[in-house]
Amino acid sequence: MGARLPIGENAGVKRNTWIPLVAGAVAFLITLGIGGAVGTDWLTRNIEMDRLVTAIVESEASMGVVQERTAAVFDQLEAEGLEGTLADAQSEAATAELARIAVDGSASIGAAGREIAAINILPWHTKIKAAQEAYLLHNYAWQAYMQAAAEDPVAFTVDQPLVNRTFQDAQEPLEDAISIVGLFDVEARVANIFIDGAPQSSGEII
């Protein structure tokens, strides 16, 4: 049997054996906490991006309805090819319908814009915030377009460079934000936005 340590020294040794165990447990808990926080933040980013893309798709759908209704009016005018008094009456009816389309479009696109603006994005999620702000500029350009067309439907017959430019400017920020998420099929949905909404030969966006 070896020599015994004094009681005080033996107690000190026992206490010291707990130090590595406690330190290891603390390190594990810290690592677990950091990992949990990172995972939670990643999930939050995915949810934010899903909500943003969903709202953008709704906004684009409202714009598409305007384009479809407007095209139908012009197609009818072209198909009927009326002249004289009938042409004047038809032109007045078409102008009134175009004004209604613009009013309806202003309401629906404005509502979509408010929905996009209301999406809460954490301050440090800067790429998603940049995507939100970039697309809002496009929505606001469309709202201005609809307001102008409601006052004078001739606006439907001219190019809308601000509408086109803001749409194109929104693409890169949205695509940049894709790299930080991986759920909800966001990449394909963003791609579809810019395939479906490509500028047309008339200079307008569908």
Side-chain angles (χ1 to χ4, degrees):
M1 181 180 293
R4 293 188 177 184
L5 292 171
I7 293 176
E9 294 181 18
N10 190 43
V13 170
K14 289 182 178 180
R15 283 196 300 269
N16 291 338
T17 60
W18 285 99
I19 294 176
L21 295 175
V22 171
V26 170
F28 172 76
L29 290 174
I30 290 174
T31 302
L32 187 64
I34 292 173
V38 170
T40 300
D41 189 67
W42 178 80
L43 180 59
T44 301
R45 291 175 190 268
N46 277 273
I47 292 171
E48 290 172 351
M49 195 65 179
D50 175 55
R51 290 173 177 170
L52 178 59
V53 173
T54 298
I56 287 173
V57 169
E58 289 297 320
S59 175
E60 290 293 303
S62 295
M63 297 167 187
V65 168
V66 169
Q67 291 288 352
E68 290 170 4
R69 290 178 63 188
T70 303
V73 172
F74 287 118
D75 288 346
Q76 183 177 0
L77 284 173
E78 184 177 356
E80 292 177 350
L82 300 177
E83 297 180 358
T85 304
L86 288 176
D88 292 340
Q90 186 70 3
S91 178
E92 290 179 5
T95 298
E97 176 61 16
L98 289 172
R100 283 192 293 272
I101 292 170
V103 170
D104 293 345
S106 180
S108 62
I109 294 168
R114 290 189 294 275
E115 186 71 21
I116 293 168
I119 295 170
N120 186 37
I121 296 173
L122 293 175
W124 58 90
H125 295 173
T126 53
K127 287 187 176 182
I128 300 176
K129 188 66 177 177
Q132 179 191 40
E133 292 175 348
Y135 185 82
L136 274 173
L137 292 177
H138 178 57
N139 181 277
Y140 295 155
W142 258 92
Q143 290 186 51
Y145 174 28
M146 292 298 95
Q147 290 165 7
E151 296 173 4
D152 184 358
V154 170
F156 280 121
T157 67
V158 298
D159 288 349
Q160 299 296 324
L162 183 61
V163 167
N164 288 339
R165 187 174 70 250
T166 53
F167 180 75
Q168 292 162 353
D169 288 348
Q171 183 169 2
E172 185 174 343
L174 274 164
E175 290 177 345
D176 284 347
I178 292 172
S179 64
I180 58 175
V181 299
L183 301 177
F184 308 120
D185 200 26
V186 167
E187 184 173 3
R189 290 159 63 198
V190 169
N192 284 337
I193 289 169
F194 293 97
I195 291 172
D196 296 340
Q200 306 299 301
S201 59
S202 65
E204 297 176 339
I205 295 289
I206 291 180

